[in-house]
Amino acid sequence: MAEEWVEQMQNQVNTLEELEKYINVTDDERAAIQTLKTRWGTTPYFASLMDKDDPQCPIRMQVIPSRKEELNEFGMDNYLVWKENRATGEVRPDSIARQYDDRIAFTVVEVCANYCRHCFRKELVVDQDLQLHFDVDEGLQWIADHREIRDVLITGGDPLLLSDDKLEYLVSKLREIPHIEMIRFGSRLPIVLPHRITEGLKKAIGGFHPVPVWVNTQCNHPKEITEMTERAVYALMSCGINVGNQAVLLKGINDDVSTFRELHQKLLRTRIRPYYLFNCEPAPGIDHFRTPVEKGAELIRDALRGHTTGMAQPTYVLATNIGKIPLMPDYYIVGKNEKEYTLRNHKGQLTKTRVIPAN
Ligand SMILES: *Cc1c(COP(=O)(O)O)cnc(C)c1O
Ligand code: SF4
């Protein structure tokens, strides 16, 4: 008998007929599914978290295609080629995206359990306009040949959809490379398919080794977290894998103060450490999810910093071809002289503190 997570994948909800078993599909949703040539779908588990009647349900909005994806005013054509520096002088395998000297993103698969409508790698993963060739051994060889690379971020698609054997191979090959100090997986599976965190997976990528493994997941709304998520995260941690979150700021989903705070508090309660909050990127066809760039900093100022546990605060960034650019709020320094700074807190209160002057 197939493992439960494999069955979930075999039964992916990706037809109108299947979707109608979970929700009352609206005319707009039906029209989008019937007209758009786009890959879409989710797991039966994630579909079961959708609100039956509310088309504004945060899970529905991330899963079901929309005609708004046909509009593109603020998106960039050939976005991924620009973003991942695929058209620059350095010759690299398609699987290696590089923005930094010491670390790279290593794409090993282009399938997902949930095809997020806001995906910044949409051209590749969802719309499949961009065809690339991902060869794991070719990527491993490139990493072995580049001694300046210390940190490998394994991505996709969703890399945890690879079999236990393939994952074990990947991790053990990377660990044989003397200059690799850490391995990260970017995976939405703890959220959209927590069944994937099996004993077999724990054996394949967990356990003590001087080269640690981290998992960064993507959770954008408190409704995405269930008891199964809590158990999956605990299972990962129980074998030495730390779990972080990379949320995307999404209009109408998490861009209000109360949802935003609840999301970050619930992540911590689930033992997931908020790592990044991404400004929704200028990939084509996702304008309807994008907020003004200042919004993320405002939310951190108004919902998180000082208002709740400091550990709940992610770094807000705009991802670009030259790296992630931090866009954190800067309201704190109100004035300064040669020996004193005037500082403002989250409530607007002012204080003065003695400082070492800059010279
Ligand atoms: C995000 C990213 C990284 C990792 O950046 P960190 O700030 O270290 O998390 C590395 N390479 C690429 C191409 C990336 O997009
Ligand atoms: S899981 Fe990641 S790669 Fe896959 S569609 Fe969602 S955002 Fe894109």
Side-chain angles (χ1 to χ4, degrees), residues 112 114-116 118-121 125-126 156-158 188 218:
C112 292
N114 183 74
Y115 291 101
C116 312
H118 56 272
C119 177
F120 78 88
R121 317 191 86 195
V125 174
V126 180
D158 205 309
R188 249 202 126 169
Q218 185 198 140

Side-chain angles (χ1 to χ4, degrees), residues 83-85 97-100 102-105 120 151 153 184 216 246 275-276 278 319-320 323-324:
K83 162 85 187 297
E84 296 186 340
N85 295 309
R98 186 170 202 183
Q99 294 167 348
Y100 298 103
D102 73 330
R103 56 206 193 279
I104 45 105
F120 78 88
D151 171 9
L153 202 167
R184 298 190 257 177
N216 280 319
Q246 310 198 138
Y275 174 41
Y276 278 135
F278 286 101
T320 76
K324 297 173 178 67

Side-chain angles (χ1 to χ4, degrees), residues 14-299:
N14 55 14
T15 63
L16 195 50
E17 211 183 0
E18 279 297 314
L19 186 63
E20 278 169 335
K21 294 182 185 159
Y22 295 89
I23 58 165
N24 293 315
V25 179
T26 65
D27 291 345
D28 281 354
E29 288 169 334
R30 182 172 292 107
I33 288 167
Q34 286 169 340
T35 43
L36 296 186
K37 280 209 281 300
T38 179
R39 181 149 61 162
W40 72 279
T42 191
T43 58
Y45 161 81
F46 207 52
S48 74
L49 304 181
M50 297 193 282
D51 188 291
K52 219 166 155 27
D53 296 307
D54 179 11
Q56 303 304 314
C57 161
I59 295 182
R60 272 168 82 147
M61 287 171 69
Q62 292 181 67
V63 169
I64 304 172
S66 158
R67 294 293 295 269
K68 292 178 189 150
E69 293 172 34
E70 293 170 302
L71 308 173
N72 185 32
E73 192 182 345
F74 300 101
M76 289 166 67
D77 292 330
N78 280 318
Y79 176 67
L80 213 51
V81 170
W82 170 80
K83 162 85 187 297
E84 296 186 340
N85 295 309
R86 295 187 176 278
T88 55
E90 188 182 58
V91 179
R92 293 185 301 267
D94 281 356
S95 59
I96 307 287
R98 186 170 202 183
Q99 294 167 348
Y100 298 103
D101 291 338
D102 73 330
R103 56 206 193 279
I104 45 105
F106 182 17
T107 306
V108 295
V109 64
E110 55 179 79
V111 290
C112 292
N114 183 74
Y115 291 101
C116 312
R117 303 324 303 167
H118 56 272
C119 177
F120 78 88
R121 317 191 86 195
K122 204 165 197 245
E123 297 151 291
L124 173 75
V125 174
V126 180
D127 293 340
Q128 297 171 281
D129 302 329
L130 181 65
Q131 304 277 331
L132 296 172
H133 172 71
F134 301 127
D135 182 315
V136 167
D137 287 309
E138 184 191 33
L140 287 168
Q141 188 60 52
W142 185 94
I143 294 165
D145 291 342
H146 287 75
R147 296 177 56 186
E148 71 278 16
I149 304 298
R150 320 161 19 257
D151 171 9
V152 173
L153 202 167
I154 303 171
T155 182
D158 205 309
L160 294 187
L161 286 177
L162 292 179
S163 67
D164 294 345
D165 287 348
K166 287 197 174 129
L167 289 168
E168 187 166 349
Y169 174 81
L170 187 57
V171 168
S172 65
K173 284 287 169 190
L174 283 170
R175 282 174 165 167
E176 281 169 19
I177 301 174
H179 49 271
I180 295 306
E181 295 174 8
M182 57 185 285
I183 300 166
R184 298 190 257 177
F185 283 95
S187 169
R188 249 202 126 169
L189 298 195
I191 302 299
V192 299
L193 183 58
H195 320 59
R196 176 65 186 101
I197 316 305
T198 57
E199 288 305 314
L201 181 81
K202 284 167 65 177
K203 257 186 76 196
I205 68 169
F208 179 78
H209 190 282
V211 176
V213 171
W214 303 70
V215 168
N216 280 319
T217 194
Q218 185 198 140
C219 174
N220 302 317
H221 190 280
K223 209 178 157 179
E224 295 170 38
I225 296 174
T226 67
E227 191 189 327
M228 275 199 80
T229 328
E230 291 165 355
R231 291 190 180 277
V233 173
Y234 185 79
L236 285 170
M237 296 184 78
S238 72
C239 66
I241 300 174
N242 279 297
V243 185
N245 189 53
Q246 310 198 138
V248 185
L249 181 57
L250 297 169
K251 190 159 86 187
I253 292 180
N254 58 18
D255 66 339
D256 64 278
V257 167
S258 74
T259 305
F260 193 76
R261 184 181 305 146
E262 192 191 340
L263 168 64
H264 288 89
Q265 289 174 336
K266 198 162 178 188
L267 284 167
L268 277 189
R269 232 163 64 210
T270 312
R271 302 178 166 81
I272 302 176
R273 175 78 207 265
Y275 174 41
Y276 278 135
L277 171 69
F278 286 101
N279 179 257
C280 186
E281 298 179 35
I286 61 174
D287 288 350
H288 54 298
F289 286 114
R290 300 182 67 211
T291 65
V293 70
E294 287 79 9
K295 191 74 193 180
E298 284 170 24
L299 284 165

